[in-house]
Amino acid sequence: MHKTTLRWAASLALLGSALLAQAAPPKEVRLDYAYYAPTSLVLKEQGLLEKRLGEQGIAVRWVFSQGSNRSLEYLNSGSTDFASTAGLAALLSRANGAPIETLYLASRPEWTALVVPKDSPLKSLADLKGKKIAATKGTDPYLFLLRSLREAGLKKGDVDIVHLQHPDGRAALERGQVDAWAGLDPHMAASELQAGSRLLYRNLDFNSYGVLSTTEAFAKAQPELVKAVLGAYEDARHWTLAHPQETAELLAKASGLPLEVAQRQLARTDFSQPLPGPQFVAALKGAAPLLAEEGLVRPGVDAVAAVDALVQPALAQAVIKAEPAVAKVTAP
């Protein structure tokens, strides 16, 4: 009888823990938005999440992110509940101990390349040796730069990396203060069109996806709220695919950049694959060894294993609708 009582007590304790894990919905959910994440702009502008959560009395607060590093700082400090970042930046954060999970692919952009001024004598990656290069540490462009240098047989120490936020990197390039810049759209597209800047090196495979992440604790405590956010992102993604011109106009308005800049950014962005599946996992695992080799993660951390801990598609699988036939937003 005593053993039976103990078993019942243990069962009740487990049940209680499970109920506590899924906490009551918060009064507010906090998301970031960014010019490099067009569907976040659609989501914010149209109030798609507010419409979903309004009847539940849950408010939505928006926080602007200049880059993946800022977005992850906000998430890991508890200032936001979701982060819009590059996939590789999310992996770097997870490998360094941040308990975050990537749930959803907002886009697959070619949003970064190595950029030089229009009159630059540099013609190849090898020419970068000994040069000053602007980059934002911890972001996709920064990791793109490191991978590109390795492609040319160069190391990080072979160049002088100047750590600047993306808009400041563009300004430094156009003022002649650096020789190259690891660019990020829409700033990169703007520099091409407005200053004649040239893309020295492009590689789509070195661009990691645009992802949406949250913390393990939030995903566990608020699975229905997470699914509501993902559902709103799906609404925004479908609208973006169906309305390329309006999306470009929204991006131009939000960023303060000309319409042609927004069109160029969107023309090289693929919105067709929202589920973080095997292709995404393979892309991260292919880049993961770089994080350890470059000393970007703590000694002894298995960055490849961190990919499996990071990528958690289950909640998105429950939400994602049939994919549209159109794969890209095409610039007019």
Side-chain angles (χ1 to χ4, degrees):
M1 186 70 178
H2 180 64
K3 291 182 178 179
T4 302
T5 302
L6 288 176
R7 283 198 296 268
W8 271 105
S11 298
L12 288 171
L14 288 172
L15 178 60
S17 297
L19 291 173
L20 287 172
Q22 294 192 18
K27 294 182 179 180
E28 179 182 74
V29 62
R30 303 158 302 169
L31 298 89
D32 69 346
Y33 67 101
Y35 305 148
Y36 56 81
T39 49
S40 73
L41 301 179
V42 174
L43 197 68
K44 179 176 181 292
E45 175 73 13
Q46 296 189 4
L48 297 174
L49 186 57
E50 287 85 345
K51 292 173 186 176
R52 283 177 173 258
L53 299 180
E55 292 184 359
Q56 301 176 44
I58 301 175
V60 178
R61 181 159 64 87
W62 293 95
V63 177
F64 177 68
S65 290
Q66 282 193 329
S68 292
N69 60 333
R70 288 284 184 263
S71 182
L72 288 164
E73 285 174 15
Y74 299 149
L75 179 65
N76 292 326
S77 69
S79 298
T80 60
D81 303 307
F82 294 88
S84 302
T85 75
L88 204 51
L91 173 59
L92 180 60
S93 182
R94 176 79 202 202
N96 278 318
I100 67 170
E101 297 180 348
T102 289
L103 312 172
Y104 181 81
L105 303 183
S107 65
R108 188 186 187 189
E110 186 187 3
W111 55 10
T112 187
L114 298 186
V115 189
V116 294
K118 63 179 180 180
D119 56 355
S120 172
L122 305 182
K123 302 297 182 185
S124 68
L125 287 174
D127 295 334
L128 291 172
K129 186 172 184 179
K131 304 300 183 184
K132 285 186 177 181
I133 306 173
T136 308
K137 191 171 184 179
T139 65
D140 220 38
Y142 178 75
L143 296 166
F144 181 96
L145 168 61
L146 298 184
R147 297 183 77 182
S148 301
L149 292 174
R150 290 166 63 90
E151 190 83 352
L154 298 175
K155 298 179 181 179
K156 187 169 58 175
D158 291 327
V159 299
D160 181 7
I161 299 178
V162 181
H163 297 290
L164 296 170
Q165 287 296 311
H166 302 300
D168 299 325
R170 174 195 172 186
L173 180 82
E174 294 176 3
R175 292 171 184 158
Q177 296 168 335
V178 295
D179 302 292
W181 166 50
L184 179 73
D185 274 337
H187 309 291
M188 183 169 71
S191 192
E192 287 180 82
L193 292 168
Q194 296 173 352
S197 300
R198 174 169 54 87
L199 304 187
L200 176 72
Y201 182 69
R202 301 173 68 175
N203 190 328
L204 178 60
D205 291 337
F206 285 2
N207 284 256
S208 69
Y209 296 64
V211 305
L212 187 70
S213 302
T214 188
T215 63
E216 286 181 351
F218 193 84
K220 184 177 180 181
Q222 303 292 343
E224 294 307 314
L225 180 53
V226 170
K227 285 191 282 188
V229 171
L230 297 180
Y233 259 94
E234 274 294 274
D235 292 341
R237 183 178 70 89
H238 283 274
W239 189 91
T240 297
L241 285 164
H243 300 87
Q245 178 64 19
E246 292 92 334
T247 302
E249 290 170 358
L250 173 58
L251 175 57
K253 176 185 174 183
S255 64
L257 294 169
L259 180 59
E260 62 179 358
V261 172
Q263 290 171 334
R264 178 164 294 199
Q265 174 182 345
L266 292 172
R268 49 193 181 204
T269 303
D270 182 351
F271 296 97
S272 68
Q273 301 294 330
L275 188 67
Q279 186 178 10
F280 173 63
V281 170
L284 290 187
K285 287 188 174 181
L290 169 72
L291 304 183
E293 292 168 17
E294 291 291 335
L296 298 173
V297 297
R298 295 172 299 178
V301 169
D302 185 343
V304 174
V307 175
D308 295 321
L310 174 73
V311 181
Q312 301 295 330
L315 292 174
Q317 283 176 323
V319 171
I320 289 172
K321 306 170 185 176
E323 294 176 4
V326 181
K328 285 190 177 182
V329 169
T330 304

